[in-house]
Amino acid sequence: MFTTFAAAMGNRWTVRFSATWVERPIMYVALVGYPSCGKTPPHRLALSPLLNLDHEYDREYCAKLKAYKQWGAKSPKERAALSLPEEMERPRRRCHVVVDATIEALIGAMRDNPQGVILYSDELESLFANFNRYNSSDESYFLSAFSGTPFKYIRKSTDEHIFLPNPYCSIIGSTQPGRLAKQFGGERVVNGFSSRFLKVYPDITDMPTWGSDRMPDGIMEQWERIIRKVVTFDFKGKEQPIELTFSLE
């Protein structure tokens, strides 16, 4: 829930630690537990307000994309007759959650969503397995992205140049105790990759079993209202973030 709230805040908020040190709420979180101990359900529950928003955005995007394709199928004379605009920009897909994406897809999502996104990988192994598969700099990208370092990217397939002055990407996923040494040991301890991840390792001795208990009335509705209140802002990426400062206390 803490990570979801941070992703909802995104690029709209910063905190100043010193004259030269300003941070945004970027979090890399790994939930650690044995297989079938119940890691996935709380992930989905916590992320559900952002996923519900993405579902609404998708409906809006599909309607705009349909209008754009209809516009593109008409000649300039037909557009004039129907009082359609001479130029029309292809709509961009709004989202908060990106699921198991390549670096290229992730960068495209951050370009289209300057407020920032959260990368959700149910099993972090699938994310790490793609490191260096397409590009040798994937791991180094996530090293610098943790600090929100400005980033330039060139899509060779389309010769598209993307510049992200304030990239925001949080990560949340799960893994097993037996995978920790491979995923976060060795060189990843030395280069700081492991230190960027908050490992949450609850002491789960009993595997969850079937039960008739339900979530108390109003809890998820309240969580939905909280997250929607945080993200209800048409962020374009040009606004100045709200900066928080620490008192001596």
Side-chain angles (χ1 to χ4, degrees):
M1 293 174 74
F2 193 47
T3 314
T4 300
F5 192 92
M9 292 172 68
N11 270 327
R12 290 184 291 275
W13 294 82
T14 61
V15 61
R16 180 171 294 279
F17 287 89
S18 69
T20 58
W21 183 8
V22 178
E23 289 284 356
R24 282 168 284 157
I26 298 174
M27 298 182 65
Y28 290 3
V29 177
L31 182 59
V32 185
Y34 290 99
S36 302
C37 73
K39 299 186 295 295
T40 300
H43 272 157
R44 292 178 178 171
L45 209 63
L47 285 169
S48 61
L50 295 181
L51 291 170
N52 291 340
L53 279 168
D54 284 359
H55 184 54
E56 295 174 15
Y57 297 155
D58 275 349
R59 289 201 300 266
E60 179 184 333
Y61 171 78
C62 288
K64 290 182 177 180
L65 184 62
K66 181 180 179 181
Y68 174 78
K69 289 182 176 180
Q70 291 174 341
W71 173 87
K74 299 185 183 303
S75 66
K77 185 178 292 186
E78 290 173 324
R79 293 170 192 164
L82 294 170
S83 300
L84 296 176
E86 294 182 7
E87 299 291 336
M88 193 172 184
E89 185 178 352
R90 184 182 179 89
R92 295 187 174 187
R93 186 185 291 273
R94 297 177 65 195
C95 73
H96 293 286
V97 183
V98 178
V99 181
D100 285 330
T102 63
I103 290 292
E104 182 170 304
L106 180 62
I107 289 171
M110 286 191 287
R111 175 204 58 195
D112 294 344
N113 298 275
Q115 84 280 352
V117 299
I118 181 169
L119 176 60
Y120 170 48
S121 183
D122 189 32
E123 291 289 344
L124 287 172
E125 180 67 24
S126 62
L127 174 66
F128 296 160
N130 281 329
F131 280 6
N132 309 328
R133 182 179 176 185
Y134 302 106
N135 190 312
S136 60
S137 62
D138 282 5
E139 186 171 319
S140 62
Y141 167 74
F142 281 108
L143 278 167
S144 59
F146 184 76
S147 301
T149 304
F151 187 73
K152 290 183 178 181
Y153 185 80
I154 300 176
R155 281 179 171 170
K156 295 181 179 179
S157 57
T158 59
D159 195 29
E160 182 182 11
H161 292 245
I162 299 175
F163 175 62
L164 301 175
N166 296 297
Y168 177 102
C169 177
S170 282
I171 300 175
I172 192 166
S174 60
T175 189
Q176 295 82 39
R179 308 299 295 170
L180 288 174
K182 178 184 176 182
Q183 294 171 349
F184 296 108
E187 182 63 27
R188 288 176 178 169
V189 174
V190 178
N191 65 15
F193 182 83
S194 177
S195 300
R196 284 159 169 74
F197 272 83
L198 174 65
K199 290 89 170 175
V200 184
Y201 196 169
D203 183 15
I204 301 175
T205 55
D206 298 322
M207 298 300 181
T209 58
W210 178 86
S212 60
D213 293 343
R214 300 183 65 84
M215 184 72 73
D217 291 342
I219 294 294
M220 290 311 299
E221 290 80 2
Q222 184 181 5
W223 179 231
E224 184 97 18
R225 286 195 299 271
I226 290 171
I227 294 301
R228 284 178 178 259
K229 184 177 181 180
V230 177
V231 300
T232 303
F233 184 75
D234 194 12
F235 192 76
K236 301 297 185 183
K238 299 178 181 178
E239 303 88 343
Q240 287 296 316
I242 301 170
E243 186 178 283
L244 304 177
T245 57
F246 287 102
S247 67
L248 291 176
E249 293 77 14

